[in-house]
Amino acid sequence: MILDRFRVDGLVGVVTGAGRGIGAATAVALAEAGADVVISSRTADQLEAVAGRVEAAGRRAVAVEADLNDLGAVAGLAETAKDEFGRLDIVVNNVGGSMPAPFPHTTPDALKDAFHFNVATAHALNLAAVPLMLETGGGSIVNISSAMARLTGRGFLAYGTAKAALSHYTKLAAADLSPRIRVNAICVGSVATSALDIVLRDEEIKSKMEQATPLGVIGEPDDIASAVVYLVSTAGKFVTGKVLEVDGGTERPTLDLGLEDL
């Protein structure tokens, strides 16, 4: 049956930024598809709620409260998977982000911080995960990038540059790790997560964002989680080094920050 190829029964995954939004939806989706998961974020009560949803799906969750800006902490999640479950097969690098800012306010330190949080954290976890994946024959890595990695819009210099780096990192890492470990990315469009709560509560702004999206709607975390399940399961076993655009068809930023000419 074709749906059997979307199962990940008996596998173990690590999902970062898993307290809410895309990370939480991904952890639950992996559990519903058959995997046990290590989940991590900075907020213990959010992780507890996600762990409850994983367990309701019949799988185990190990919650690790951590500041994932700390490269040692994020790398340690791989060993936690090994210690708790005896293996590691799936990594979803979801943690990331950067606040928009006008060009004059985007300092070199801001650019460095964006690169650290969006790229270095993913690499730290991947470095720790790869040897463990190889112990059981291989695995799959998914990096959560952004539509702003390929689109242009004012205010997104640090974020877009960092996500563009993550997207290209994905292709380079896939070449390095083939054939036993597959590495792919998802370029996410506007999705209804806590990061967009403030703007989505404004009906006028929400309407403009929907109008700027060819499909006419804001995405949901489960839209991204579904793509992750495809990429990490045998349904996606012939896919590596690719950047999957899950963005409602957008070809321009959906959020105009209204920054004026200098």
Side-chain angles (χ1 to χ4, degrees), residues 32-51:
E32 291 175 345
D36 296 317
V37 290
V38 174
I39 55 176
S40 186
S41 76
R42 290 179 294 185
T43 310
D45 59 342
Q46 291 179 346
L47 288 174
E48 183 178 348
V50 175

Side-chain angles (χ1 to χ4, degrees), residues 82-102:
K82 174 72 172 178
D83 291 344
E84 294 288 339
F85 298 114
R87 62 186 297 151
L88 177 56
D89 309 279
I90 297 164
V91 167
V92 182
N93 288 300
N94 173 64
V95 72
S98 180
M99 289 298 292

Side-chain angles (χ1 to χ4, degrees), residues 2 10 42 48 62 66-67 116 130 135 150 203 211 218 237 256 259:
I2 190 66
R42 290 179 294 185
E48 183 178 348
V62 173
D67 179 357
H116 175 93
V130 163
E135 288 180 3
R150 64 181 180 86
E203 285 300 323
Q211 291 170 22
I218 303 299
K237 69 182 179 62
D256 183 353
L259 299 180

Side-chain angles (χ1 to χ4, degrees), residues 211-237:
Q211 291 170 22
T213 305
L215 287 183
V217 294
I218 303 299
E220 300 175 356
D222 281 345
D223 296 327
I224 312 305
S226 300
V228 171
V229 171
Y230 161 65
L231 289 172
V232 304
S233 67
T234 55
K237 69 182 179 62

Side-chain angles (χ1 to χ4, degrees), residues 126-182:
N126 294 342
L127 273 177
V130 163
L132 304 181
M133 290 178 167
L134 292 176
E135 288 180 3
T136 52
S140 181
I141 295 168
V142 177
N143 300 316
I144 303 300
S145 186
S146 168
M148 290 311 302
R150 64 181 180 86
L151 304 179
T152 57
R154 287 181 172 176
F156 297 100
L157 191 148
Y159 179 69
T161 299
K163 288 301 191 183
L166 182 62
S167 291
H168 195 57
Y169 168 96
T170 296
K171 298 179 180 182
L172 296 170
D176 285 339
L177 300 177
S178 291
R180 296 175 66 189
I181 296 174
R182 297 185 297 107

